Amino acid sequence: MGSVPIFFDTLAQAYTRETAMSNQKRRDILKVGAIGAAAAGLGFPSIIRAQPKEIVILGLWDQTGAFADVGPLNDRGMRMALEERGMKVLGKPIKYITRDGATQAGTSTRRAEEAIDGEGARFMIGPWSSGVALAVSEVAKRKKVVHLFSGGTEDISGSRCHRYSFQWAASPYTAAKTVVDNFMKANPKAKRWHLLVADYAFGWSVEKYIKEVGKAHGIEFVGADRHPLGEREFSNYVQKAAANRPDAVAMINFGGDAVAGAREIFNFGLTPKVPLIMSWSSGVEELIQLSPEIRENMWVGTNFYYTADTPVAKAFVKSYQAKFKTPPGYAPSAAYSMTRMLLAAFDKAKSDDVQAVIKALEGLEVNDLLGKMRVDGATHQTLRPYFFLRCKPKKAMKHDLDLADIVATGDTPLPKQYAACKDIGGF
Amino acid sequence: MLYALMGLGLSLITGILNIPNFAHGALFAVGAYLLVSAVGILGNFWLGLIVAPLGVALLGLLIEWAGVRRLYAAGHDYQLLFTFGLALILNELIIVIWGPVGISHLPPALLRGGVDLGFTFYPKYRLFVMVMAGLLVVATWLFLEKTRYGAIMRAGIENKEMVSLLGIDIHKLFTVAFALGAYLAGIAGALTAPIRGLSPGMGVDMLGIAFVVVALGGLGNLLGAIAAGLLIGVAQAVVAAYWTEASTAVIFAVMAAVLLVRPQGLFGIR
């Protein structure tokens, strides 16, 4: 009987992967697969296929694995940005191709390389997972292609920075500073904090800066517990948090983890009495999964919120909602904005040469989705506003999607003494 | 206690029908989703809690009658494929009917918030679930121990040929056992909905734990399933208090440790 539980386990894993895919996604994969098969089947020498007439841009979006639910959203945003321009830039047609990275480093790097060698892609955006993106970033460096990414690791524009990769999401420092400063402004007496941290690179870096920024406010961190990615049983963590009797609970996690954590914190009777901070939320995508009662006295830091008051955001939200009914969260918006940044760099460079586009991206200044955005040439970090929201209680909500108000934005860049990117290097 | 409930239901099915029920987690999820719909229609949590698991039992009845029954003679491979495929179908059905986005469902107003136990907070609803699950386990236990039909079921686990030779309709027994197992999974799901919320994949974690409970308690041993469910729950809570990060791993550590010493499980004979 000894081998049976192991067998069950393997099956259960296969089952998890399988169930994460919806029909829509399967169809997309079939489509992508068909394109790949067609390309391979034709067997033209790569010189003919990589004709410089069209510009090939790769969206590396997960259709399977842990972020299977996010990939299709990324794809929507990127496609919308390209379609706005009629799939053309510099008078040349854009060929948009996508690959499923399966939320795994091995698969993502292999498929990215295949798209670069086989399809002639010289520009790529994605993937969603920061751990996987670090591996993909190495491919970009080796293959000399432009790579844009948005996510919670500080290493892309930090210790592992290089000339080809760019980071769209706010620096974890910017996020921590925005969240802590503005929360303390509204709740000056909440000095005892308990932290719940996702146990991987992203959680650690945000935790580090929240503690750092907290010092200036005299915050005492009465507890900090780390939970694995994909945790669904938060009662043990919350029980510990409740026993500490904190003035505020701050979560540094993302997606399903954040939703499960917020729910449990409410069930234990902490919220709405004790304020809950989500420091790095996907915004509307997470909040919509919670009931209004759970959201009461919740404070949320996010890279994008759909009520952002910029002309580009308003137009984007309007056409996104017309197409897909729900407003866009962080995932489609990041893909949308990154694509627009890349297109802006083409315009600025007046060329689709990789080095020219990189030089154009470095120091690029746009007034776009989030307002004023600038790419730091020295680190390839996008300097941009980070949003801080206060969720609305049920009676203040005007409609089902009226979830929160943007109470502040912050764009304090990472101070020099923390900067790990000493030299961005050459081509 | 919830673990015991899940394990007990699965143990009934595994023990009496002798099939590995991979759809048990999906039945758990269906129970949770039915609760939300039932509460939405009936407007009352308590009525929903009665109706939803009965719906799952009905589904169990249907599954046994239409599918599982035809596979008793076919061997474990086919049974496994059938229940596994069924789990995928149920999962996709949940997505089709209720959508892929997670849902939160609040406990009834009476049971919201926490109680201050002096040394710690504890949510009222969780206390209710503990009591409720405990009562259900005891009720199932009494049914199996003290009633005539329960005795027949236990006899069915021991020796199927003998039971059918005694003139008892063994097929009816199988159907009832499967429905009862499904009911227990369904009510565990319904009780869990306000705690963990709902998402289409919610059954997967629970399936793993249910199999751990069954293996730990000894295949087909009902008392073992209850004891193993309690043991795992207590181990998880104790470890969580001192070393939170290890609270999930401990489930499997306990199983590994017990199976190394007693490969047949705590109370197992097979």
Side-chain angles (χ1 to χ4, degrees):
Chain A
M1 277 327 292
S3 69
V4 170
I6 299 164
F7 174 60
F8 285 158
D9 230 35
T10 321
L11 256 173
Q13 273 173 21
Y15 175 48
T16 319
R17 274 199 295 278
E18 201 50 37
T19 49
M21 290 165 67
S22 78
N23 291 333
Q24 180 58 42
K25 289 162 203 158
R26 270 194 204 106
R27 248 177 277 131
D28 284 349
I29 293 164
L30 287 180
K31 243 186 282 170
V32 173
I35 296 167
L42 291 174
F44 289 129
S46 59
I47 300 159
I48 297 175
R49 245 185 295 149
Q51 271 186 357
K53 269 187 187 157
E54 58 181 14
I55 299 173
V56 184
I57 305 180
L58 166 69
L60 195 57
W61 306 127
D62 302 313
Q63 308 286 347
T64 49
F67 285 136
D69 53 336
V70 187
L73 302 177
N74 294 133
D75 175 64
R76 285 176 179 180
M78 184 162 175
R79 204 175 284 275
M80 279 175 70
L82 293 172
E83 279 168 0
E84 274 174 12
R85 303 279 293 250
M87 303 299 278
K88 265 193 186 128
V89 70
L90 305 169
K92 293 180 188 174
I94 293 171
K95 186 177 168 197
Y96 171 46
I97 58 172
T98 67
R99 290 288 182 275
D100 171 20
T103 331
Q104 281 170 4
T107 314
S108 296
T109 50
R110 196 174 66 243
R111 298 215 170 126
E113 286 196 45
E114 177 269 321
I116 293 164
D117 293 338
E119 300 270 346
R122 284 175 298 125
F123 308 91
M124 67 176 165
I125 304 184
W128 194 238
S129 153
S130 29
V132 176
L134 285 166
V136 171
S137 170
E138 293 302 315
V139 174
K141 187 178 176 182
R142 197 171 66 241
K143 295 280 183 184
K144 299 188 186 303
V145 299
V146 181
H147 173 222
L148 280 77
F149 159 77
S150 175
T153 172
E154 58 175 335
D155 294 344
I156 294 248
S157 58
S159 60
R160 287 167 70 177
C161 67
H162 59 78
R163 204 67 191 267
Y164 294 92
S165 282
F166 293 83
Q167 164 72 283
W168 182 88
S171 144
Y173 179 86
T174 309
K177 177 99 176 132
T178 309
V179 167
V180 176
D181 283 359
N182 289 298
F183 180 81
M184 291 314 285
K185 203 189 271 174
N187 305 273
K189 285 190 187 139
K191 299 238 177 197
R192 289 164 49 83
W193 285 34
H194 186 98
L195 301 181
L196 279 177
V197 186
D199 199 6
Y200 63 108
F202 140 72
W204 301 349
S205 44
V206 181
E207 179 186 356
K208 179 174 80 186
Y209 292 128
I210 282 195
K211 287 186 167 164
E212 199 61 46
V213 179
K215 269 190 213 157
H217 293 279
I219 293 170
E220 181 197 350
F221 294 94
V222 291
D225 278 322
R226 290 179 173 179
H227 66 78
L229 178 64
E231 180 65 80
R232 289 296 171 268
E233 179 55 66
F234 275 89
S235 62
N236 309 316
Y237 303 96
V238 179
Q239 205 172 346
K240 248 180 113 177
N244 275 330
R245 297 178 192 273
D247 298 332
V249 179
M251 291 198 301
I252 308 165
N253 48 17
F254 190 79
D257 293 1
V259 170
R263 191 182 284 132
E264 201 62 60
I265 287 168
F266 171 80
N267 280 344
F268 268 78
L270 265 79
T271 42
K273 259 183 288 171
V274 178
L276 169 65
I277 303 160
M278 276 180 167
S279 43
W280 186 278
S281 168
S282 66
V284 68
E285 288 147 359
E286 283 165 18
L287 298 181
I288 200 81
Q289 298 188 40
L290 300 166
S291 359
E293 289 86 350
I294 300 178
R295 288 194 300 260
E296 198 174 330
N297 208 5
M298 242 172 66
W299 305 73
V300 180
T302 178
N303 271 294
F304 178 75
Y305 192 64
Y306 80 100
T307 57
D309 193 17
T310 68
V312 178
K314 281 189 169 143
F316 170 57
V317 170
K318 200 174 161 202
S319 63
Y320 188 94
Q321 246 179 318
K323 262 191 166 142
F324 307 110
K325 294 202 180 74
T326 55
Y330 168 31
S333 312
Y336 177 78
S337 178
M338 281 191 281
T339 312
R340 281 175 66 93
M341 267 172 49
L342 179 63
L343 294 172
F346 281 124
D347 293 339
K348 185 180 164 194
K350 295 189 178 63
S351 156
D352 64 341
D353 173 63
V354 166
Q355 294 195 8
V357 171
I358 287 175
K359 280 180 191 153
L361 271 169
E362 291 170 345
L364 180 80
E365 274 193 66
V366 285
N367 203 342
D368 205 79
L369 188 70
L370 311 171
K372 266 192 72 165
M373 305 168 69
R374 187 169 71 80
V375 180
D376 180 10
T379 61
H380 286 194
Q381 168 67 45
T382 308
L383 308 173
R384 30 76 41 102
Y386 190 75
F387 297 85
F388 188 61
L389 323 171
R390 176 178 196 168
C391 290
K392 290 186 168 181
K394 195 172 186 176
K395 53 183 184 298
M397 287 170 60
K398 289 190 200 84
H399 51 87
D400 281 356
L401 293 168
D402 186 20
L403 308 172
D405 287 323
I406 299 175
V407 288
T409 58
D411 56 3
T412 319
L414 182 71
K416 279 259 159 25
Q417 74 260 31
Y418 300 121
C421 179
K422 302 293 179 207
D423 177 18
I424 196 78
F427 288 110
Chain B
M1 264 302 172
L2 272 176
Y3 295 161
L5 215 54
M6 278 298 279
L8 191 60
L10 187 59
S11 201
L12 261 178
I13 295 176
T14 317
I16 298 181
L17 283 68
N18 197 22
I19 62 158
N21 183 20
F22 270 93
H24 210 65
L27 291 172
F28 169 84
V30 170
Y33 275 96
L34 278 183
L35 174 87
V36 172
S37 290
V39 173
I41 295 165
L42 303 168
N44 182 316
F45 178 82
W46 309 105
L47 281 178
L49 197 56
I50 294 169
V51 173
L54 286 177
V56 180
L58 213 64
L59 181 66
L61 217 66
L62 195 73
I63 292 170
E64 201 279 341
W65 176 76
V68 174
R69 170 168 296 187
R70 288 151 220 277
L71 295 169
Y72 289 129
H76 278 322
D77 314 2
Y78 291 90
Q79 295 160 358
L80 192 148
L81 280 174
F82 175 73
T83 54
F84 192 70
L86 193 68
L88 292 178
I89 292 170
L90 287 177
N91 199 70
E92 291 294 321
L93 272 180
I94 287 176
I95 293 175
V96 170
I97 298 173
W98 286 283
V101 182
I103 304 174
S104 288
H105 187 79
L106 294 179
L110 184 67
L111 296 172
R112 275 179 213 168
V115 225
D116 196 340
L117 298 173
F119 59 100
T120 181
F121 271 104
Y122 210 73
K124 285 182 208 159
Y125 184 76
R126 267 184 192 260
L127 289 174
F128 161 74
V129 168
M130 258 196 267
V131 174
M132 189 72 193
L135 286 176
L136 277 165
V137 166
V138 171
T140 314
W141 179 244
L142 285 177
F143 166 72
L144 292 168
E145 274 299 309
K146 302 287 178 198
T147 64
R148 192 180 131 74
Y149 209 78
I152 296 174
M153 267 194 190
R154 279 181 295 130
I157 298 180
E158 295 291 328
N159 194 330
K160 289 177 192 58
E161 288 81 9
M162 187 56 82
V163 171
S164 50
L165 278 177
L166 287 172
I168 290 159
D169 185 351
I170 193 94
H171 283 298
K172 204 170 106 199
L173 181 73
F174 284 176
T175 314
V176 172
F178 198 95
L180 185 61
Y183 176 85
L184 290 175
I187 199 160
L191 284 170
T192 312
I195 298 179
R196 289 206 182 176
L198 301 96
S199 59
M202 68 185 289
V204 180
D205 303 342
M206 220 44 185
L207 179 71
I209 292 173
F211 270 113
V212 169
V213 169
V214 171
L216 194 54
L219 284 179
N221 190 309
L222 304 174
L223 178 65
I226 297 172
L230 287 177
L231 174 69
I232 283 180
V234 170
Q236 200 179 13
V238 170
V239 169
Y242 297 99
W243 187 20
T244 325
E245 285 85 348
S247 60
T248 306
V250 75
I251 295 176
F252 301 96
V254 167
M255 179 181 79
V258 170
L259 292 185
L260 276 175
V261 183
R262 283 184 64 86
Q264 70 274 50
L266 285 176
F267 298 87
I269 35 173
R270 279 190 258 177

